[in-house]
Amino acid sequence: MSSWTRGPLTALAVCLLLLAGAVGCGSGAARGHGEGGSAAPAGKLLDHTDEAGRRYREVGRESAPEVGVEVQPDAGGGWDLRLTVRRFHFSPAGTAARAVAGRGLAHLLVDGRLVCRLRTPEYHLAARLVPRGTHHVTARLYADDETVWAVNGKPVQSTADVTSSGPEPDANGSPAGGASGASSGP
């Protein structure tokens, strides 16, 4: 090959490599990073908020996550809780604080008071959190950015009414004894 053809061919090869690199970078960014999530925002933020001021994130019914909650008494006077979810996956601890469709965590509330944040479908609820009487145990789904998944302006949640038949709490606030269970599905 003579020197006059090497220059234009080299320049053409460099241009093709640069073009291929730019195309490759653009397609990688469009796919997003980690856990198969989309780079596009999930749902639409609403002005509605939960009790703690976390905004609702509206999604269509056909793609919305669902949750059901079942609560059963255990032998020790506490409660075993099991969540059933559809179109939803629990994110592990340390997940980036961003909304990815169908991912996140559940907040467990007893009578409207936050008890814990769940990243698994099972939890043991201590007897002291459900004293004598009837209580509302609610599991509400949140995105990893702490927005509330919502459909038609209502949070994606499920509530079970639980009645504890144990005696009144003692002076230390510790209940003693019996319980009966309840469950609610999606």
Side-chain angles (χ1 to χ4, degrees), residues 37-56:
S38 167
K44 175 186 174 189
L45 284 175
L46 302 178
D47 290 333
H48 294 35
T49 62
D50 71 358
E51 303 84 2
R54 295 178 191 97
R55 290 180 67 184
Y56 286 14

Side-chain angles (χ1 to χ4, degrees), residues 163-183:
T163 301
S164 175
S165 57
E168 291 293 328
D170 64 17
N172 296 325
S174 299
S180 62
S183 66

